[in-house]
Amino acid sequence: MKFWDASAIVPLCITQSLSELVHGIARKDNSIVVWWGSVIECRSAFARLWRDGFLSSREEEDVRATLSLISSAWVEMKPCEEIREITGRLLLNHPLRAADSLQLAAAISWTDKKPNGHSFVCLDLKLGEAARREGFTILPAQFHTNQRNKRETQSIK
């Protein structure tokens, strides 16, 4: 079972450049844990793609239907006081926005505050780095390694 951030759920629903990577992770273990707000974040991404002309109305409806199908099988972490408290700590320790800190706090709560040995599937670099620093194994590993290498190469130039 792995915790999935909304950034990794979107390419499960709609074909994007990183879809094959996340589909591979899902095929190996289709037990998905998410934050309660993930559906909202995914729907926001789909609506933005529709408004920006990347999806037709029909395609946007189709990806929402795919999301509905996927979400019917996942485990959802509901809002609670523990997640709120963890979020407060994360906002002080990492350069995260509120929604991302809620995602990570939900993942930490899911692990009973022991993220070592647990996987966090994420395509957001800042959130992935914060999750790694909290002790999670970040997937897809090759994506995060490639992005880290690109940043290091750019900082050397």
Side-chain angles (χ1 to χ4, degrees):
M1 189 169 269
K2 296 171 180 55
F3 191 93
W4 286 64
D5 170 53
S7 67
I9 296 168
V10 169
L12 281 178
C13 300
I14 183 171
T15 302
Q16 296 182 324
S17 62
L18 297 171
S19 291
E20 192 54 41
L21 273 176
V22 294
H23 279 282
I25 294 167
R27 278 190 295 273
K28 289 179 185 169
D29 175 13
N30 64 0
S31 300
I32 295 175
V33 181
V34 302
W35 162 238
W36 169 85
S38 292
V39 167
I40 299 163
E41 289 193 65
C42 291
R43 286 181 182 167
S44 172
F46 302 152
R48 187 173 50 253
L49 289 168
W50 172 76
R51 283 191 311 272
D52 291 347
F54 293 105
L55 293 177
S56 68
S57 294
R58 179 70 186 147
E59 289 168 325
E60 198 272 340
E61 289 173 21
D62 289 346
V63 295
R64 280 191 288 119
T66 300
L67 177 63
S68 182
L69 182 66
I70 293 169
S71 68
S72 69
W74 67 33
V75 174
E76 197 170 86
M77 297 296 296
K78 306 283 188 211
C80 64
E81 190 58 36
E82 178 181 69
I83 290 174
R84 187 187 337 226
E85 289 173 12
I86 295 169
T87 298
R89 178 184 65 77
L90 293 172
L91 288 168
L92 291 172
N93 293 327
H94 304 283
L96 297 174
R97 295 178 182 260
D100 289 339
S101 65
L102 285 163
Q103 293 263 2
L104 184 52
I108 291 169
S109 179
W110 165 66
T111 68
D112 292 324
K113 299 181 183 178
K114 297 175 186 123
N116 289 334
H118 294 280
S119 296
F120 190 92
V121 185
C122 175
L123 298 175
D124 179 289
L125 296 177
K126 279 186 183 179
L127 180 54
E129 180 60 20
R132 186 189 64 75
R133 288 183 178 183
E134 289 293 323
F136 285 97
T137 299
I138 308 305
L139 300 175
Q142 60 271 43
F143 169 76
H144 288 276
T145 300
N146 289 343
Q147 295 304 313
R148 233 185 336 256
N149 290 342
K150 283 181 187 176
R151 279 185 293 186
E152 288 170 5
T153 301
Q154 289 172 347
S155 68
I156 293 172
K157 291 181 181 180

